[in-house]
Structure formats: structure tokens, C-alpha cells
């Protein structure tokens, strides 16, 4: 939902130094990657006529789409599934949508989650925070939030659904966490090896009510999403701190690793933490500090005074050899930006960090993935091509990859320029709070992201897919 705390200045930023090489000296080690396919995945809203009986429907914006996530089905690598928030308004979102492709991203079919919101036959006023993951057995899992907007703050449930035919049909959502004022920032991860096993993490917080105690929590299914375990505590910070945006990885030995952001108001720090579970989430070891940085003042557009996008949510991925990578925002001014990459080679026990080279201008919302060869890919937006004084706030989507664990990187322009000022809700970071990246079989990546004008055709924003791979 929209009541979460957005940490100014890039959230859990790590003190980091530049990585050694970018397109130039040393960059030949990475080799060129190119955008092989770029297309719109979203389309005209299925709710263009509104949703009879839905409260707050008059606050939604038809065709306004944000916060996409993506997964590639390991049981059928040509099956790619994406999700996003559909018809987002300042108070309510009509529902989350899902799109699936069975031909590697060339064509897509859009579907709803039955019973997720009033718009799809349920009772919730709004859906939010959609997330996806496909397991080794081919089951695709969806998680999200379903909220009653009549209370302040909203009473929000964490829900999950499943598809056994590549995203073409979905089960009615199961309630994983009962409605509470503060359930937020869910993420679901399917097991790559254990059939029917998937894991869901989320935060619970109400930042306006400090001091208070809040949590990161975990649940799992072992029967393909039919039932979910009672919530288990992953972390509980002090009364003047907030945990949010947990991301969960399954390491090669089966260890579960939860990476999350902590905002510590008492210390004035944004901190990145990682917690491990050795028993499939039944218990969790104390979290390890991966890095921290002082909370910075909100970075604003100097021309309008409106805050620039800075949700600060981490993105995490694990390589076949067990190396863990976390991408995060590290911008310090409207014209000085960076994307940081933290790395752990010992299952999250210790961490080092550096920044991607060649990032110029304010940078935000990275997504990270690792392919089966160990190639690391990162997408992000930055404002390097924005021209001060013109009418537009110009952003481009970029991709960088490394074949040597971050020793050298090569950049590729993916999409843009797009004008963020044409997006109707700056309070939603113009493009939402996160975008998605997933590895394709072999070498290459599937990216999903939000674009405004002039690219958007079905409303103020559209969701775009890009297939990025080596060579021509």
C-alpha cells in the first residue's frame, strides 16, 4: 500500500567504492550485450469501465500501471510471466494483473487473479505489491497485498496464488497473513529443487506510529500453495527502527537468505541486513549487517521541488556458485547518482560492496539477476540525459553485466528517453517502487519496467518487456 516509509537518499546504502572497469579499459572481458526485443506487455485496462460496487473507484487512473515483477519458468524456459499494478490512483488500485508468454516474450496474454479485489470478484478495495516466482516443478506463484481502504491505516492481508499452466489460469488467493494495519512489501520465492515448496516474506510496520515494534515475517508452503504455515519471525528491530522490503533467496545448499532494509531513526542510518535459515524457514539466525550509510535529506527535482524517485528497495540474486549479490540505490544529489552492488561469497555471513562504474546522473530502482553461467545483470533508471530547464524530466533504462563477479562491467542502453513528469503520481516515485529482472536459460536476461510518455500508449504509463542478450 502507499502508507509505507520511503527512506530519503537511497535507503540502505553501503559505503562503497567504484568497481574497476566499464566500457573501455577492461570492459572487453564482459563483451557486448544488446536489446534483442523490446515490446509493450500491458494493454488497454480490463477495468476501463470501472468496477461496480468498488469503493474509491473514482480515485483510480485508468491505464496507470506500476511496479512490475518478472519470472522465467525453469521447467519451460520459453514461459515468461510478469505482473504489475493496474489502474493506480492516489488512494486505490483496481487490481494486480498478470501476463504470460509461452514463446520467450514474443507474445503475451493478460489475466487477472480471481478474487484478489472487488474488480476480480473479491472483497478487497485494492491490490498492491505484486511479486512472482516460478519453481523447478513449473508451478508459478504470485504474492501481493489485498487491502480494505476504509480504515486509516488500511487493513492489509498478504495473499498468494498459484498457476500450474504457465500463468494462463490462477487459483483464488490464499490468505498467508491476516489483515493488519501495516502488512507491506511482500516477496515470494519458489524452491528451485523441492516440488511444491515456496517461501513468502513481508514486513509489518506503521511508520506514523513510532515508537513501536515491527517485524519481518516468513511463511512457506509445501503443497504447491494450497496451504501456508503460520507466520515465523525473521527479525524484530527496536521501537525506533523499521524493517521493510525483504527479498528471499534459496542458496545452492538449500539455505534460505532474507535480505532487507532497516531504517534506524535513532541512529540516523539506513542499513542493509541479511538473515539465514538452515531449516527451510522454521527458525532464523540473527541478521548480519551488510552495510549502512547516514540517512540523507530527501533529494528533490531542483526545477519543481518534487522528490525524485528514491524508494531504496534492495534487489537480490544468487549465482550458481552461491555468490549473493544485492543491488541498491546510492545517489547523493539530483545530478550525482550511483548504483551499488553488495556481494557475499559465504552465504551472507560477510559482505563487500562497490558501485557500478559509468553511472552518470541521479540513479534509481535497480534490479539484479544472475544467469546459469554466473553472469551478473543489473537494470536501473538514471537521469544522465535530462536537460535542466526543459519541460521534461528525462529518464532512461540501462543494463550492465559482468562475467567476472563484478571485476568489469559493460553498459547497454535499454529504453528511453521517457518523461517522468507525464506520470500522474510523483508520490508513487513516478514509475512505482521496483522493477524486475530475471535470467533466461543460457546467457541473457528478461527485463520488465515502467515507461511514461512518449512510449506509453494505453494510459499515462505502460509496462515494457526487453530481452537482453550477448551478440547481435
Amino acid at each position: 500500500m502507499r502508507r509505507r516509509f520511503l527512506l530519503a537518499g537511497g535507503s540502505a546504502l553501503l559505503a562503497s567504492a567504484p568497481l574497476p572497469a566499464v566500457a573501455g579499459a577492461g570492459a572487453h572481458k564482459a563483451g557486448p550485450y544488446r536489446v534483442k526485443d523490446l515490446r509493450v506487455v500491458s494493454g488497454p485496462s480490463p477495468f476501463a469501465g470501472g468496477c461496480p460496487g468498488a469503493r474509491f473507484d473514482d480515485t483510480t487512473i485508468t491505464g496507470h500501471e506500476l511496479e512490475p515483477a518478472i519470472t522465467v519458468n525453469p521447467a519451460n524456459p520459453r514461459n515468461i510471466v510478469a505482473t504489475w499494478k493496474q489502474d493506480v490512483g492516489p488512494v486505490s488500485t483496481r487490481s494486480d494483473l498478470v501476463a504470460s508468454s509461452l514463446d520467450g516474450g514474443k507474445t503475451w496474454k493478460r489475466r487477472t487473479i480471481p478474487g484478489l479485489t472487488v474488480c476480480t470478484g473479491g472483497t478487497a478495495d485494492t491490490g498492491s505489491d505484486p511479486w512472482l516466482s516460478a519453481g523447478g516443478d513449473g508451478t508459478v506463484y504470485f504474492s501481493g497485498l489485498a487491502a480494505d481502504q476504509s480504515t486509516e491505516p488500511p487493513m492489509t492481508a498478504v495473499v498468494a496464488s498459484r498457476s500450474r499452466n504457465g500463468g494462463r489460469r490462477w487459483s483464488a488467493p490464499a490468505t498467508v497473513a491476516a489483515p493488519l494495519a501495516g502488512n507491506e512489501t511482500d516477496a515470494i520465492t519458489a524452491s528451485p529443487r523441492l516440488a511444491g515448496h515456496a517461501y513468502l516474506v513481508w514486513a509489518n510496520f506503521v511508520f506514523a506510529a513510532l515508537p513501536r515494534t515491527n517485524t519481518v515475517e516468513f511463511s512457506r508452503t509445501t503443497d504447491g500453495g494450497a496451504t501456508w504455515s503460520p507466520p515465523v519471525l525473521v527479525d524484530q528491530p527496536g521501537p525506533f527502527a523499521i524493517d521493510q522490503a525483504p527479498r528471499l533467496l534459496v542458496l545452492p545448499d538449500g539455505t534460505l537468505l532474507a535480505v532487507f532494509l532497516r531504517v534506524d531513526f535513532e541512529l540516523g542510518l539506513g542499513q542493509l541486513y541479511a538473515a539465514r535459515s538452515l531449516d527451510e524457514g522454521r527458525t532464523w539466525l540473527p541478521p548480519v549487517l551488510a552495510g549502512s550509510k547516514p540517512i540523507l535529506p530527501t533529494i528533490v527535482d531542483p526545477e519543481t521541488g518534487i522528490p525524485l524517485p528514491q524508494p531504496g528497495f534492495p534487489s537480490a540474486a544468487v549465482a550458481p556458485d552461491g555468490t549473493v549479490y544485492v543491488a541498491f540505490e546510492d545517489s547523493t544529489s539530483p545530478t550525482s547518482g550511483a548504483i551499488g552492488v553488495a556481494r557475499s561469497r559465504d552465504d551472507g555471513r560477510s559482505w563487500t560492496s562497490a558501485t557500478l562504474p559509468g553511472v552518470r546522473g541521479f540513479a534509481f530502482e535497480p534490479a539484479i539477476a544472475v544467469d546459469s553461467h554466473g553472469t551478473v545483470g543489473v537494470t536501473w533508471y538514471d537521469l544522465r540525459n535530462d536537460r535542466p530547464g526543459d519541460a521534461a524530466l528525462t529518464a532512461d533504462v540501462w543494463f550492465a553485466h559482468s562475467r567476472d563477479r563484478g571485476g568489469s562491467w559493460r553498459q547497454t542502453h535499454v529504453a528511453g528517453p521517457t518523461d517522468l513528469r507525464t506520470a500522474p503520481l510523483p508520490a508513487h516515485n513516478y514509475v512505482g517502487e521496483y522493477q524486475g529482472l530475471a535470467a533466461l536459460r543460457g546467457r541473457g536476461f528478461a527485463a520488465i519496467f515502467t515507461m511514461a510518455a512518449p512510449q506509453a500508449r494505453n494510459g499515462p504509463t505502460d509496462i515494457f518487456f526487453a530481452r537482453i542478450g550477448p551478440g547481435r
Side-chain angles (χ1 to χ4, degrees), residues 107-131:
T107 60
W108 296 80
K109 289 189 176 181
R110 294 179 292 277
R111 295 289 187 266
T112 62
I113 303 291
L116 179 62
T117 68
V118 172
C119 291
T120 64
T123 60
D125 294 317
T126 190
S128 188
D129 292 22
W131 206 265

Side-chain angles (χ1 to χ4, degrees), residues 193-271:
R193 294 180 179 85
L194 299 176
H197 289 231
Y199 316 104
L200 214 167
V201 287
W202 68 96
N204 179 268
F205 62 87
V206 181
F207 69 85
L210 290 170
R212 68 181 300 275
T213 300
N214 66 99
T215 58
V216 169
E217 299 186 40
F218 166 91
S219 178
R220 76 175 178 279
T221 181
T222 59
D223 56 12
T227 61
W228 290 84
S229 67
V232 171
L233 181 68
V234 176
D235 185 62
Q236 190 169 40
F240 293 96
I242 286 175
D243 288 351
Q244 66 177 21
R247 308 298 184 230
L248 192 137
L249 302 173
V250 182
L251 305 186
D253 65 356
T255 297
L256 302 186
L257 185 71
V259 178
F260 57 91
L261 160 69
R262 177 178 296 170
V263 183
D264 193 315
F265 299 97
E266 196 167 30
L267 297 177
L269 294 174
Q271 300 169 314

Side-chain angles (χ1 to χ4, degrees), residues 2 64-69 84-85 88 307-311 329 362 364-366 380-383 393 395-397 418-436 448-453 455 460-464:
R2 304 308 309 177
H64 189 208
E65 295 125 350
L66 298 174
E67 290 179 11
W84 61 86
K85 293 167 61 172
V88 182
L308 292 172
Q310 47 205 297
E329 298 168 355
F362 184 84
F364 55 98
E365 297 189 19
W380 72 95
Y381 299 87
D382 71 36
L383 305 183
L393 181 59
D396 291 84
V397 180
T418 194
D419 181 5
L420 297 184
R421 289 192 182 126
T422 65
L425 297 175
H428 288 241
N429 292 290
Y430 298 97
V431 291
E433 295 174 331
Y434 55 83
Q435 315 299 316
I448 197 88
F449 49 89
T450 308
M451 301 283 278
Q455 290 81 11
T461 57
D462 269 325
I463 304 299
F464 283 75

Side-chain angles (χ1 to χ4, degrees), residues 79-91:
N79 178 207
I80 306 173
V81 188
T83 186
W84 61 86
K85 293 167 61 172
Q86 180 68 46
D87 297 350
V88 182
V91 174

Side-chain angles (χ1 to χ4, degrees), residues 330-345:
D330 201 1
S331 294
T332 56
S333 79
T335 57
S336 178
I339 297 298
V341 178
R343 182 178 64 188
S344 174
R345 294 184 177 179

